[in-house]
Amino acid sequence: MAEAIVTVEGLRVRYALADEPALEGVRLEVEPGEFCGVTGPHGAGKSTLAYALMGLLPHVMRADVEGRVRVAGRDPIAEGAARLAGDVALCLQNPYNQISGARDTVYDEIAFGLENLGLPPDEIRARVDEALARFGLEAVAEENPFACSGGQVQRLAIASAWVMRPRVLILDEPTSQLDPHGAREVEAAVEAARRQGMAVIVIEHRAEWLAARADRLLVLRAGRPVAAGPARRLYGAAELQEEDLPRPVYTRVARRVAELGAELGGGGTEPWPLTEDEAVGQLRPVVSRRAAGSAGDARSAGTAGAAGGADDAAAARPGRAATAGAAPAGSPSLLIDDVHFAYEPGRPVIRGISTEIRGPGVTALIGRNGGGKSTLLRLLLGLVRPDRGRVVVDGLDTARATVAQVARRLAMAFQNPDDQLFLGTVLDEAMYGAKNIGRPPEAARASAVAALEALGLAGMAGRHPYDLGFGLRKLVTVAAAVAMETPILVLDEPTMAQDEPSLRRLAALVRRLAESGRHVLLVTHHMEFAAQVAERVLVLSGGRILADGAPEDVFRREDVLAAAGVEAPAALRLARRLGLAASPVTPEGLCSAIMGS
Amino acid sequence: METRSIWSLRLTTFMIALIPVAVAVNYVGKAIAAALKLPLWLDSIGTVLAAMLGGPVVGALSGAINNIFYGLTADPVSFWYAITSIFIGLAAGYFAYTGWVQSTGRAIALGLVVALVSAVVSTPINVILWQGTTGNAWGDALFTALRIHEVPVWLASFLDEFVVDLPDKVITVFVAYLVFRGLPQRLVAQAGARRVQGGR
Amino acid sequence: MRAPSLYVPGRSFVHRADPLTKAAWAFSTALAGFIVPDWRATAALLVLNLTLLGLAGALRRTARLILASAVLVATFFVAQGLSHPSNAEPLFRVFGLTFYREGLLVAWVLALRLWNTIAAIGVLVFTVRPQDLVTALLMRGLSPRAGYALVSIIQVLPTLSASVATILDAQRSRGVETEGGLRVRLRALLPMLAPLIMSALAAAQDRAVALEVRGFSRPGPRTILRPVRDMAGAAFWRAVGLGVLVAAVLWRALGG
């Protein structure tokens, strides 16, 4: 066994002014070249661990720190971050905040750390050129960092850290603020960094990435270690809850299929599948056995399976019945009638959109960034008015209304929570919009408390939003929009930076809102979430609606998805690889389809 | 924890990172005041806030760098007034660190002090450079009326500057105080500022 | 939004001069404009600086700045023309107010000094990227921390400005009124500014971490990857600039 490059024993951290320790009893060993995942729900102390390893505690952030920490042969708690530079590197969540601001091109930004090390100019140039190539940044070398995409900037941050040749690289939720395309870019960058023999510690919620890449995992909950060890063993450990360690879709489907009595490929001797390839390997035998078993009426069975899969998925969602019939009087309605819009003449952003939402339910709006989604949302909010056509929100034409009037009918949680949070407590934030649109303070408070509770934030009502992590701040703004109790609710990327328990609470809340007569419009890159809660999917690309229909129908259309730059949900991709005739979009639907095949 | 003198010149990296933010807030505060059509400049909220957070040295640096940057990128005349900005930062930082941002009343008093300091420091600059006028129509109308009645140039110029600074700096300091009061405790502690616990 | 900038790209003689030489020239001639006892000398300096700006192709931008100072200049003429203590010879009357020759002449001198300030410093700011000026100062021993505080504004300011529009959208959508009486607009100030400042401060905390990771606080010498070289004969030209200032002071002290 190689010598560990990171050793943590009995780490305990309590921030100044805090009553409870943020971290207690943490043990960790990481070897050179290893990918160590750190995961667990919000408030688990994951970031605190990163700060401790980087030497920010107590040198930059005031805290009591106990325990033994060794990173790359250094003692971060005694030495502090400034002296660790070059041996240890940390990249935080928000890519743009990682840019030093000291230099105005990508090239010079990467060189900045090397200038601080006092290296000779020739060596700096050689190292920067190597970093540009390794992280795929040559094309933007002369661009201003702030003009780059989120994925590029996060890669730039990693490249700028990597170029210092640290032996340990720590990444705190590096993909949580990126779209799937940007996330994949960062995943590739991490692999590139790791090939050099660097130990990489990644704090992450997304099971798919950790399951596919991590050698080792540390699972934390509320500041305490829940489990630690080789990733494959932990993903297979039945006693570990999904809330603490969410499993990838592939693992969940295989497990469910086995529970339903099917014998997986490998005869049950292989560990649970962690990647799409492994899942295909283990599930294909099930599918072929089932198909062979019912060879006599394969045709009709296949058809039944397809229908069954779709029906099961639909049955899991609410609102379908309500939208199928005529909308009851007074129920939410949104009419977008031949809307055109351009910020500058001759450069249209919205090119003739017509659609209607009637009655309660959940609609997902998907499509790549730059496809017109944000502009469409601004039109719905009445922040801009259509050049042609009308937007009618619950009977109110936005062209003849003030933004405040529209706000009484349609509330929205914006993508970046930090664009709106400013009050001293979570509760004040949650009731602010409700009070502004004229609801009595007591009613506003009651709705805010209920919304916070539904999202698991009840215990944090008195905290300062900025003392919470990004994911929790995001939930606060969702709660604030929900508390406005408008007929229509728009949530822009609500799943961003969320842990497994919050994803479940969000899904349950969205469903319940639809059942109680409201319509939720979900703007998301998270296709699994969309497939799970929405009964209708709108695909927006190039300022037009490319597709509109049930998730099963829309996600099946590969041409549409490709044009809009989105991927089908993992369940559907797996079904395709398994050669199933059905088009299930949720893990449940996929299980039924496999068992029915 | 060691106590730092408020005049300490050792600046943490966070304080260094605070200075460009303070200058940017000065710029943007001015833009927002204009967007809301408020009859105020509000172009030193960042300097005052940096002073509240980091003390007089950070406040003074923010003020100086603000005017140097503004002089380089927008209005060359701004260089001459760097001295005023430095004193605004020093005054706000000194009084904030000695307990003047603990209540609304004291914050307004601090606003008056900052307005006074600003006017006192600007007056010699205005007199030496422009023989007393400030370029603000209302203030200069007052200046002219006073001068016709043979009020000394120093007093007339001081009043010219002060009538403009008074509402502007009082509101600037008050807005900075409201923001400062609403900041998360952890951030305030990191900057090294003191703030009364639970002060409302 | 892009960072504010007065820099006009170019390859002229003035552009090629190094930043510190131009800084010495700019501040010396700007100050000299105030010190010389005869307004014709200020006018001569103004013409000289305008010539340099013409060579640099920045005359139009200079004119824009001079126009922007019109209010200030107008107050010189009104205030001094009506109330300067040396006023003796009435020149004309407008709306019952008498303007005097002496005061108007004082205002004319003030205007020349203002315009010369703009033109002199313009020679520096129109032809130097602020980054290069800071690099030149770093090479002369400016602390890297001070240099960072100045130069990073160029990167930080546009990010802050860009979020203003989004914050405005988000808060209006939560029912914050931004139009109406003065009181309504004053009340909108905090919901607009506070999110901006809080997120900017949180970003500054993150950026401080990023700086530490890049060895910003490490002691020891730094490399300057893109050094700024002095122009040929820099010492001579700096001496010429300072000579103008010294001459102005001597003239004032001995003659004037």
Side-chain angles (χ1 to χ4, degrees), chain C residues 229-242:
Chain C
R229 310 250 173 251
D230 279 358
M231 66 191 285
F236 171 75
W237 290 111
R238 284 174 203 168
V240 170
L242 291 174

Side-chain angles (χ1 to χ4, degrees), chain A residues 203-240:
Chain A
I203 295 170
E204 179 65 37
H205 288 303
R206 289 180 315 127
E208 276 70 22
W209 185 21
L210 288 185
R213 295 293 176 186
D215 302 305
R216 189 188 285 267
L217 284 179
L218 171 64
V219 184
L220 298 170
R221 188 209 303 139
R224 311 284 179 123
V226 174
R232 191 165 287 281
R233 181 165 68 72
L234 296 197
Y235 277 114
E239 71 279 7
L240 261 175

Side-chain angles (χ1 to χ4, degrees), chain A residues 15 17 60-62 422-425 428 463-464 466-467, chain B residues 1-2 14 182-187 189-190 192 197 200:
Chain A
Y15 285 106
L17 309 166
V60 176
M61 304 168 189
R62 294 182 182 194
F422 75 106
L423 292 167
T425 69
D428 284 343
R463 308 257 314 260
H464 195 293
Y466 270 94
D467 281 336
Chain B
M1 187 147 287
E2 67 178 304
F14 174 55
L183 292 178
Q185 189 62 43
R186 208 186 277 183
L187 192 145
Q190 186 176 345
Q197 292 289 304
R200 281 258 141 193

Side-chain angles (χ1 to χ4, degrees), chain A residues 5-46:
Chain A
I5 192 146
V6 177
T7 319
V8 178
E9 276 168 35
L11 178 63
R12 183 178 191 276
V13 176
R14 191 176 60 81
Y15 285 106
L17 309 166
D19 303 322
E20 296 292 312
L23 214 52
E24 193 161 21
V26 174
R27 245 188 97 87
L28 179 67
E29 279 199 358
V30 185
E31 290 168 23
E34 263 192 334
F35 183 127
C36 173
V38 178
T39 192
H42 293 319
K46 306 183 294 292

Side-chain angles (χ1 to χ4, degrees), chain B residues 87-158:
Chain B
F87 273 91
I88 289 175
L90 283 176
Y94 177 76
F95 288 107
Y97 261 45
T98 49
W100 282 47
V101 284
Q102 296 177 355
S103 68
T104 304
R106 283 187 173 199
I108 290 172
L110 179 59
L112 292 171
V113 170
V114 169
L116 201 64
V117 167
S118 169
V120 165
V121 178
S122 298
T123 299
I125 304 176
N126 291 330
V127 171
I128 293 168
L129 294 183
W130 321 124
Q131 303 222 350
T133 54
T134 61
N136 177 284
W138 299 108
D140 288 344
L142 174 70
F143 172 86
T144 309
L146 290 170
R147 291 291 282 151
I148 288 174
H149 291 95
E150 301 192 353
V151 173
V153 65
W154 291 87
L155 181 58
S157 181
F158 170 78

Side-chain angles (χ1 to χ4, degrees), chain B residues 13-37:
Chain B
T13 301
F14 174 55
M15 287 179 186
I16 297 289
L18 198 62
I19 292 170
V21 169
V23 176
V25 168
N26 286 344
Y27 253 76
V28 174
K30 191 176 177 178
I32 290 178
L36 292 172
K37 304 191 185 82

Side-chain angles (χ1 to χ4, degrees), chain A residues 283-299 301-302 578-580 593-597:
Chain A
L283 290 169
R284 191 168 275 152
V286 180
V287 173
S288 26
R289 270 199 303 278
R290 299 230 148 211
S294 54
D297 51 359
R299 200 186 168 79
L578 291 171
L580 295 174
I594 292 172
M595 297 312 284
S597 62

Side-chain angles (χ1 to χ4, degrees), chain C residues 136-224:
Chain C
L137 291 170
L138 286 172
M139 293 172 70
R140 296 272 159 174
L142 177 75
S143 122
R145 298 168 87 77
Y148 171 80
L150 186 57
V151 91
S152 67
I153 303 169
I154 299 165
Q155 296 289 312
V156 171
L157 180 55
T159 65
L160 234 66
S161 302
S163 58
V164 170
T166 325
I167 291 172
L168 185 65
D169 281 357
Q171 301 297 50
R172 289 176 75 201
S173 306
R174 297 210 289 167
V176 174
E177 292 284 2
T178 57
E179 284 160 20
L182 182 61
R183 187 185 276 241
V184 170
R185 284 177 285 139
L186 265 178
R187 208 177 288 154
L189 199 55
L190 197 65
M192 286 296 306
L193 261 176
L196 181 87
I197 295 175
M198 278 189 199
S199 56
L201 291 176
Q205 279 182 305
D206 281 6
R207 212 171 294 121
V209 171
L211 287 169
E212 295 293 16
V213 168
R214 313 280 186 82
F216 183 66
S217 299
R218 271 177 83 106
R222 316 273 156 123
T223 308
I224 291 176

